[in-house]
């Protein structure tokens, strides 16, 4: 009962911290493309939220936070199949919510949050009901093209187990997915292997990523090949193989590696507890080092605006694509400007979310003009964006 209370408290604190971050974020260009682009399941969720709660940043990001919370609950449920102690399950969840990539997926409007929640749902249903979970796979086909790697893993697992149901469903859905979405392998041959590893390390933090890799490697030689291992390993291996040929969107593959967290926890707690207390020191150092790095990463995300003080070019800030637009729209609304030519398609689409449409009555200029009004957007008293609003005389 106490562990359940801690779990609910963890969910509450995590939700509060995420909601508090929304105030400092603007809609990015990629998010605006999802909202105003072609039909998708995620876009439907976003429009539903905006219609219910109003056209604002909180309504925009609420679906992502809800998907994140669903993922946390599902991971907590999945972990019971790998660790026996309730407090071990809490540690798995805590590590999960502290991962930099998970924090981003909980706030950024992107298919990653939907993919993670859907993948965790399938994993839980499989661990609980086994073959009956395969009935969910056809629905995942319409969620995101990335689930082709899940279908690939299901087919591989069927071959390993000599289970023709897994082979048939996995292979069939993989072929349909490739037919619908295709798979991009092209461009000039260039090795991006180290780049891919670097992005993985940034998403998971270096120590957690290295330990996940070690666990997948160790289970391979121990032939502990359950479906969860197969999903994580096959997606990870495909991403590395592709990285020898081209640039890989690691964010597409990372959700499939997240599902290996319970496996990593099972291995860590087992190797830790079979040793006498005096021989557990290096494992404690490993755990606390990883935990401290995760805390620092989360603080860097939550207090990201302070980093503008140390960056010469503000556009190099990792959160810059999600800054400026909201503050700029507020200045325009304050001056009773409801439409403007931003001179930049990306910024124009972002301003649309805040009620600023495109017209030729006003124009944003990068250089000072005789009748232009200077607008400066600052964070923590550091100017990060300067433009000039010019009224066009016709």
């Amino acid at each position: 009962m106490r562990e359940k209370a801690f779990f609910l408290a963890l969910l509450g604190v995590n939700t509060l911290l995420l909601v508090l971050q929304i105030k400092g974020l603007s809609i990015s260009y990629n998010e605006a493309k999802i909202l105003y682009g072609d039909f998708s399941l995620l876009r439907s969720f976003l429009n539903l939220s905006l219609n219910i709660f109003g056209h604002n940043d909180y309504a925009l990001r609420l679906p992502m936070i809800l998907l994140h919370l669903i993922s946390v609950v599902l991971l907590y449920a999945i972990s019971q199949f790998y660790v026996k102690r309730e407090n071990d399950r809490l540690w798995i969840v805590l590590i999960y919510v502290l991962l930099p990539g998970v924090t981003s997926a909980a706030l950024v409007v992107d298919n990653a949050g939907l993919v993670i929640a859907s993948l965790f749902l399938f994993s839980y249903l499989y661990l609980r009901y086994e073959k009956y979970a395969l009935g969910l796979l056809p629905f995942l086909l319409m969620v995101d093209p990335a689930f082709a790697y899940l279908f690939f893993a299901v087919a591989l697992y069927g071959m390993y187990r000599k289970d023709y149901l897994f082979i048939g469903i996995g292979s069939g859905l993989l072929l349909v997915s490739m037919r619908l979405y295709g798979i991009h392998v092209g461009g000039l041959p260039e090795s991006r292997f180290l780049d891919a590893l670097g992005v993985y390390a940034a998403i998971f933090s270096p120590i957690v990523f290295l330990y996940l890799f070690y666990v997948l490697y160790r289970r391979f030689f121990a032939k502990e090949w359950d479906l969860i291992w197969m999903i994580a390993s096959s997606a990870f291996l495909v991403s590395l193989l592709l990285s020898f040929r081209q640039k890989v969107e690691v964010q597409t593959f990372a959700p499939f590696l997240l599902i290996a967290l319970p496996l990593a926890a099972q291995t860590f707690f087992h190797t830790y507890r079979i040793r006498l207390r005096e021989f557990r020191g290096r494992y404690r150092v490993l755990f606390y080092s990883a935990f401290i790095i995760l805390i620092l990463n989360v603080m860097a995300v939550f207090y990201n605006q302070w980093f503008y003080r140390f960056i010469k070019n503000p556009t190099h800030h990792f959160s810059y694509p999600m800054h400026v637009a909201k503050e700029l729209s507020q200045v325009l609304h304050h001056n009773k400007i409801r439409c403007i030519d931003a001179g930049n398609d990306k910024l124009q689409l972002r301003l649309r979310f805040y009620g600023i449409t495109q017209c030729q009555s006003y124009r944003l200029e990068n250089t000072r003009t005789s009748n232009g009004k200077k607008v400066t957007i600052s964070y923590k008293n550091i100017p990060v964006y300067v433009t000039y609003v010019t009224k066009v005389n016709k």
Side-chain angles (χ1 to χ4, degrees):
M1 187 65 183
R2 185 180 64 177
E3 284 77 10
K4 294 291 193 301
F6 277 126
F7 175 67
L8 293 176
L10 177 60
L11 278 181
V13 171
N14 185 229
T15 303
L16 178 62
L17 291 175
L18 291 173
V19 170
L20 291 175
Q21 292 305 304
I22 296 176
K23 183 179 179 180
L25 297 176
S26 300
I27 189 172
S28 70
Y29 173 64
N30 289 330
E31 293 174 323
K33 281 202 303 181
I34 293 174
L35 183 61
Y36 299 116
D38 296 332
F39 172 81
S40 67
L41 184 60
L42 180 59
R43 183 189 173 193
S44 299
F45 290 153
L46 296 175
N47 285 327
L48 178 62
S49 178
L50 292 170
N51 289 333
I52 294 175
F53 301 106
H55 212 77
N56 56 75
D57 286 284
Y58 291 94
L60 175 70
R61 305 196 186 279
L62 178 61
M64 306 313 302
I65 294 179
L66 289 177
L67 287 171
H68 168 71
L69 295 178
I70 292 171
S71 301
V72 173
V73 173
L74 287 170
L75 180 63
Y76 184 72
I78 290 168
S79 63
Q80 68 181 306
F81 297 97
Y82 291 94
V83 295
K84 297 185 180 298
R85 300 186 183 186
E86 287 288 334
N87 60 329
D88 291 349
R89 297 170 66 188
L90 289 175
W91 278 115
I92 294 173
V93 169
L94 181 58
I95 294 297
Y96 174 77
V97 299
L98 291 176
L99 292 176
V102 171
T103 302
S104 297
L107 288 171
V108 178
V109 176
D110 185 81
N111 259 16
L114 185 57
V115 170
I116 294 171
S118 302
L119 177 62
F120 282 12
L121 176 60
F122 169 77
S123 301
Y124 172 73
L125 292 176
Y126 169 75
L127 292 169
R128 180 84 180 189
Y129 303 107
E130 296 188 356
K131 293 183 179 181
Y132 293 105
L134 298 176
L136 180 66
L137 294 182
F139 297 98
L140 299 185
L141 179 67
M142 309 308 298
V143 172
D144 192 272
F147 279 111
Y149 306 111
L150 173 61
F151 307 146
F152 176 63
V154 169
L156 280 181
Y157 185 68
M159 294 176 188
Y160 167 64
R161 291 283 302 271
K162 295 182 174 60
D163 190 315
Y164 295 107
L165 180 62
F166 279 80
I167 295 174
I169 293 178
S171 300
L173 290 175
L174 177 60
L175 291 174
V176 173
S177 178
M178 293 180 67
R179 177 71 176 176
L180 289 175
Y181 306 111
I183 182 169
H184 175 69
V185 179
L188 295 175
E190 53 177 337
S191 178
R192 295 297 187 97
F193 179 76
L194 294 179
D195 293 345
L197 292 180
V199 176
Y200 272 121
I203 292 173
F204 290 94
S205 84
I207 294 179
V208 173
F209 169 64
L210 289 174
Y211 193 75
L212 284 172
F213 174 76
Y214 161 74
V215 168
L216 296 179
Y217 174 84
R218 172 175 169 166
R219 286 178 176 255
F220 173 78
F221 285 101
K223 293 193 174 181
E224 298 174 355
W225 303 352
D226 67 351
L227 180 57
I228 304 303
W229 177 88
M230 192 69 74
I231 292 170
S233 298
S234 59
F236 180 58
L237 184 60
V238 168
S239 70
L240 294 185
L241 290 175
L242 288 176
S243 71
F244 284 109
R245 177 65 173 78
Q246 64 192 55
K247 182 179 179 181
V248 173
E249 294 295 332
V250 174
Q251 298 86 338
T252 301
F253 295 92
F256 299 95
L257 196 54
L258 280 172
I259 198 60
L261 279 175
L263 281 69
Q266 183 186 51
T267 300
F268 179 84
F269 289 127
H270 174 72
T271 55
Y272 177 78
R273 288 180 179 132
I274 62 172
R275 284 166 171 77
L276 296 174
R277 188 175 298 274
E278 55 267 28
F279 298 111
R280 296 176 178 176
R282 61 177 180 175
Y283 292 94
R284 285 194 291 268
V285 170
L286 176 66
F287 178 82
Y288 290 124
S289 297
F291 191 73
I292 290 171
I293 291 174
L294 287 173
I295 293 293
L296 292 175
N297 283 334
V298 169
M299 292 179 65
V301 172
F302 286 172
Y303 296 98
N304 68 83
Q305 292 182 4
W306 291 97
F307 286 92
Y308 281 115
R309 291 182 173 271
F310 312 104
I311 299 176
K312 186 175 182 180
N313 186 346
T315 60
H316 293 165
H317 190 290
F318 64 90
S319 290
Y320 185 80
M322 301 183 69
H323 288 159
V324 172
K326 177 165 59 177
E327 291 80 3
L328 177 59
S329 69
Q330 290 171 347
V331 173
L332 296 175
H333 280 297
H334 180 73
N335 287 276
K336 299 182 179 180
I337 298 175
R338 301 293 181 264
C339 65
I340 198 167
D341 179 10
N344 180 308
D345 291 339
K346 292 183 177 181
L347 181 58
Q348 192 76 61
L349 189 63
R350 297 174 69 194
L351 290 174
R352 176 180 169 182
F353 178 75
Y354 299 105
I356 304 295
T357 58
Q358 186 174 19
C359 71
Q360 300 301 318
S361 300
Y362 295 89
R363 185 170 59 238
L364 291 181
E365 304 278 1
N366 293 325
T367 56
R368 184 187 296 274
T369 58
S370 58
N371 61 337
K373 180 179 180 180
K374 184 177 181 181
V375 175
T376 302
I377 307 300
S378 301
Y379 294 109
K380 307 304 177 185
N381 297 319
I382 301 297
V384 301
Y385 178 81
V386 177
T387 190
Y388 297 89
V389 178
T390 304
K391 186 174 183 178
V392 179
N393 295 318
K394 298 182 180 180

